[in-house]
Amino acid sequence: MKGKPMGLWSWFARRRRPATAAGRPAFAAAIEPKEQEPLTPEQVADLKAAWAELAEAAKESAATGFHACSRGGKPWQEDPAAVRSMAALLRRVDAEDAATEGPTAK
């Protein structure tokens, strides 16, 4: 075996180069807030309609709350497709619960 032995402790203790030239981790740029363009009136209307769908699905479901994470640098609350996905998820979970609680449950 050439060079230094690579035991577990030597692997953890070795020094690593920063991922970027500035010394910041590579993911730092991904989590920095980005400026967003204001929504057009059509986008605002679409977002309001999506939130209405989510409110309806929440009323129909037995869920008392949920938590969602943002992806792609834009908050999910501002993305009509993501809001509609949450509404569809609530409906699907409610339908699956109703199917399992049918006459054969218990």
Side-chain angles (χ1 to χ4, degrees):
M1 188 181 245
K2 294 183 179 182
K4 293 186 195 178
M6 285 297 287
L8 186 58
W9 290 110
S10 61
W11 186 79
F12 282 118
R14 70 183 177 165
R15 294 182 185 246
R16 297 191 176 152
R17 293 189 315 245
T20 62
R24 301 183 339 197
F27 61 84
I31 60 174
E32 290 178 358
K34 298 176 184 174
E35 297 224 5
Q36 296 179 0
E37 296 179 18
L39 297 176
T40 65
E42 294 84 18
Q43 291 171 324
V44 171
D46 189 30
L47 185 58
K48 285 182 179 181
W51 272 100
E53 289 177 32
L54 180 57
E56 177 92 15
K59 284 180 188 176
E60 295 170 359
S61 92
T64 57
F66 60 85
H67 179 79
C69 297
S70 299
R71 292 176 59 183
K74 183 177 182 181
W76 72 269
Q77 298 94 332
E78 297 175 9
D79 182 8
V83 174
R84 285 190 175 99
S85 293
M86 291 300 298
L89 176 67
L90 285 176
R91 288 186 190 110
R92 187 175 69 236
V93 168
D94 194 42
E96 289 173 2
D97 285 349
T100 58
E101 293 175 359
T104 59
K106 293 186 183 180

